[in-house]
Amino acid sequence: MGSSQNGVPAGAGRPATVASSRSSGALPPFTRPALAPSLIAAIVLLACVAIVDSSGFVFARWGVTVLSLIVLVFAVRGRAWWAVVLMAAVAVCWNPLEVVPIPGEVWAALQLVAAAVFIVVGILVKVPRETVASSASRPAPPTR
């Protein structure tokens, strides 16, 4: 809106066209596919801090292990080797089949640390769009 007291028209002071990558529809050259599973894992970890010593904690272990392996695959696709190591460590520690004997208080602290690790990995792992667009399960187009 313009100001009639100063005699400034409504559109003055603003450039006529604003060129930005978001308004032009250009996509960034990467995606963050690990973000959603990482956030879900962080929610599971934080929600299950209270049940560390109960028998229901095995379900949280399954969820965290599966989600860490999903994030690990995205980290491999994004070539974030540091994230691969962290997610492999989480998958081993939270493995429900071979239980790591750690006291309950330490587990509660590890739950918080692992939640933070998931959030950081989810934000920092970037997969190039070319890798996302290509799929090994898709057959190659016929060449003639």
Side-chain angles (χ1 to χ4, degrees):
M1 297 181 76
S3 171
S4 62
Q5 293 176 349
N6 297 330
V8 178
R14 295 183 191 164
T17 58
V18 177
S20 75
S21 62
R22 290 190 179 163
S23 65
S24 66
L27 296 173
F30 60 85
T31 61
R32 288 192 171 94
L35 185 59
S38 292
L39 292 177
I40 293 170
I43 291 169
V44 168
L45 285 163
L46 294 176
C48 294
V49 168
I51 63 166
V52 168
D53 288 331
S54 73
S55 61
F57 186 62
V58 71
F59 298 111
R61 282 179 176 258
W62 274 107
V64 170
T65 301
V66 169
L67 289 167
S68 68
L69 293 174
I70 291 170
V71 173
L72 184 139
V73 169
F74 289 130
V76 168
R77 290 179 67 193
R79 298 179 192 263
W81 306 119
W82 59 270
V84 171
V85 171
L86 289 175
M87 290 297 102
V90 170
V92 168
C93 288
W94 270 262
N95 182 5
L97 299 177
E98 189 63 39
V99 178
V100 178
I102 297 176
E105 297 84 20
V106 178
W107 266 119
L110 286 176
Q111 295 273 107
L112 300 176
V113 170
V117 166
F118 268 109
I119 292 170
V120 168
V121 168
I123 291 171
L124 295 181
V125 169
K126 298 176 184 178
V127 177
R129 285 213 181 265
E130 294 80 32
T131 304
V132 172
S134 67
S135 175
S137 63
R138 231 182 289 159
T143 55
R144 294 185 185 200

